[in-house]
């Protein structure tokens, strides 16, 4: 039975595979699994925890998802047992909602044309007569 953590990672990897055809091929590897991927992520978190100076650690979503992609990209990754417990801070429904919001924002953003950038540059540049 999959845990919430495994479901969250799987949802991300599924959406990444839909968007990225190169990753979709590596995601299909027979020798890889979501369970092993999550163990690998927990190993990486454990390594960060062991390096801390004081207190706990916080790992952002981008880093965790990066580890998941890395697990599928590399064939020589060895997964061992994990000593500590790792928890997901937000449920996958919230994370899915946030990622959809970011996609909408990116679509609405428009790159500035060369002329617009030139106008901005000229408006910031001082002339000798302005001093």
């Amino acid at each position: 039975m999959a845990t919430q953590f495994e479901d969250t990672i799987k949802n991300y990897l599924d959406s990444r595979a839909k968007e990225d055809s190169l990753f979709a091929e590596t995601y299909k590897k027979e020798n890889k699994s979501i369970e092993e991927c999550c163990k690998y992520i927990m190993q990486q978190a454990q390594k960060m925890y062991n390096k801390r100076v004081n207190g706990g650690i916080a790992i952002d979503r981008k880093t965790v998802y990066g580890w998941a992609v890395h697990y599928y990209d590399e064939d020589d990754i060895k997964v061992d047992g994990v000593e500590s417990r790792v928890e997901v801070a937000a449920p996958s429904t919230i994370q899915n909602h946030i990622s959809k919001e970011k996609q909408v924002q990116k679509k609405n953003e428009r790159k500035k044309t060369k002329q617009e950038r030139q106008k901005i540059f000229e408006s910031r540049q001082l002339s000798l007569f302005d001093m």
Side-chain angles (χ1 to χ4, degrees):
M1 184 172 170
T3 65
Q4 182 180 4
F5 181 62
E6 290 171 354
D7 289 340
T8 302
I9 298 300
K10 184 176 182 334
N11 289 339
Y12 171 77
L13 294 173
D14 289 344
S15 67
R16 171 87 183 242
K18 287 178 186 175
E19 295 171 4
D20 184 355
S21 60
L22 291 175
F23 177 71
E25 293 301 315
T26 60
Y27 188 48
K28 294 177 186 177
K29 290 181 180 178
E30 301 260 338
N31 61 336
K32 303 287 183 170
S33 69
I34 293 297
E35 293 82 14
E36 290 257 327
C37 178
C38 290
K39 285 181 184 177
Y40 173 73
I41 292 168
M42 288 186 237
Q43 277 183 339
Q44 296 304 310
Q46 181 70 43
K47 287 178 187 176
M48 285 184 76
Y49 179 78
N50 292 340
K51 291 180 184 177
R52 78 190 190 294
V53 177
N54 288 324
I57 61 168
I59 303 170
D60 64 311
R61 176 184 9 198
K62 186 177 177 181
T63 302
V64 172
Y65 291 151
W67 288 335
V69 171
H70 180 74
Y71 167 80
Y72 278 93
D73 285 341
E74 300 297 324
D75 289 327
D76 59 345
I77 291 178
K78 294 181 182 177
V79 180
D80 300 323
V82 180
E83 297 173 12
S84 296
R85 186 175 131 200
V86 180
E87 296 181 13
V88 178
S92 61
T93 54
I94 293 173
Q95 292 175 357
N96 289 339
H97 178 69
I98 291 171
S99 64
K100 287 178 185 176
E101 270 183 21
K102 287 183 180 180
Q103 289 174 358
V104 171
Q105 288 174 353
K106 286 180 181 178
K107 288 179 183 176
N108 292 338
E109 291 178 5
R110 181 178 65 88
K111 289 188 174 182
K112 292 184 171 112
T113 63
K114 188 174 182 177
Q115 292 172 345
E116 290 173 330
R117 288 192 305 257
Q118 184 64 30
K119 286 181 183 178
I120 292 170
F121 177 73
E122 288 174 356
S123 69
R124 292 181 183 165
Q125 187 174 9
L126 294 175
S127 73
L128 292 173
F129 300 108
D130 291 338
M131 293 182 173

